[in-house]
Amino acid sequence: MITTEIEAFRAVLPAGGRLLGLDLGTKTIGTALCDAGWSFASPADLIRRGKFAADKAVLAALIAAQDVAGIVLGLPINLDGTEGPRCQSTRAFARNIDDFGLPVLLWDERWSTQAVERQMIAEDVSRAKRAERIDRLAASYILQGAIDALMLA
């Protein structure tokens, strides 16, 4: 099941279980995991994108190793609320991982990268280190927003 509705996502999740957050970039996929009680999200691996089959195999291994119950995928909606080519690509990615058999929540990620980058600048993280960490931290930011909303749903 792929949805943008938090209530629908919540309805198909078990009472607990880890969730996987994904921030799709053109060159990398940032990942994050939350605890089984949906309290906090933490950055996980950075996947260097290659052929889709290889990327999917890495995700499948991560899902199996971490006993993931659902996936939160950042949906890059434009600031004006419209969907562009990146949204189409993200929706296609969601359809291509639907055979994992896990519910997928497409979560509005409009401000995730900017919020994470502002925080790293405030912490005086160098430009090079920001570039290497941004996708993982953005995935964590996306996942934290979703689990916060899940607790209210």
Side-chain angles (χ1 to χ4, degrees):
M1 178 203 77
I2 301 169
T3 185
T4 58
E5 301 297 323
I6 194 76
E7 294 84 9
F9 185 65
R10 176 73 173 97
V12 297
L13 287 173
R18 298 189 84 179
L19 300 177
L20 174 66
L22 300 176
D23 179 47
L24 295 181
T26 55
K27 296 179 183 175
T28 61
I29 301 172
T31 68
L33 291 160
C34 74
D35 61 304
W38 304 339
S39 299
F40 59 90
S42 301
D45 298 330
L46 182 67
I47 300 169
R48 303 263 177 227
R49 292 192 80 171
K51 301 250 184 227
F52 178 75
D55 297 346
K56 189 173 180 179
V58 171
L59 284 173
L62 179 61
I63 287 167
Q66 297 296 331
D67 197 27
V68 170
I71 300 170
V72 177
L73 179 57
L75 185 64
I77 297 171
N78 294 326
L79 293 179
D80 65 1
T82 61
E83 294 190 11
R86 289 192 58 225
C87 279
Q88 293 172 357
S89 175
T90 299
R91 287 182 184 279
F93 186 90
R95 287 189 301 274
N96 287 328
I97 63 169
D98 195 34
D99 62 351
F100 285 156
L102 297 173
V104 176
L105 174 65
L106 299 173
W107 189 253
D108 184 350
E109 67 147 317
R110 273 181 258 205
W111 301 104
S112 61
T113 301
Q114 294 88 346
V116 168
E117 187 156 32
R118 276 193 308 269
Q119 182 62 36
M120 286 193 292
I121 289 169
E123 294 171 1
D124 202 28
V125 176
S126 73
R127 188 179 302 263
K129 289 190 179 187
R130 285 195 315 260
E132 105 189 10
R133 297 179 187 167
I134 193 91
D135 290 331
R136 293 174 46 242
L137 291 172
S140 180
Y141 185 90
I142 291 163
L143 182 56
Q144 187 66 53
I147 61 176
D148 289 348
L150 277 171
M151 299 310 289
L152 299 173

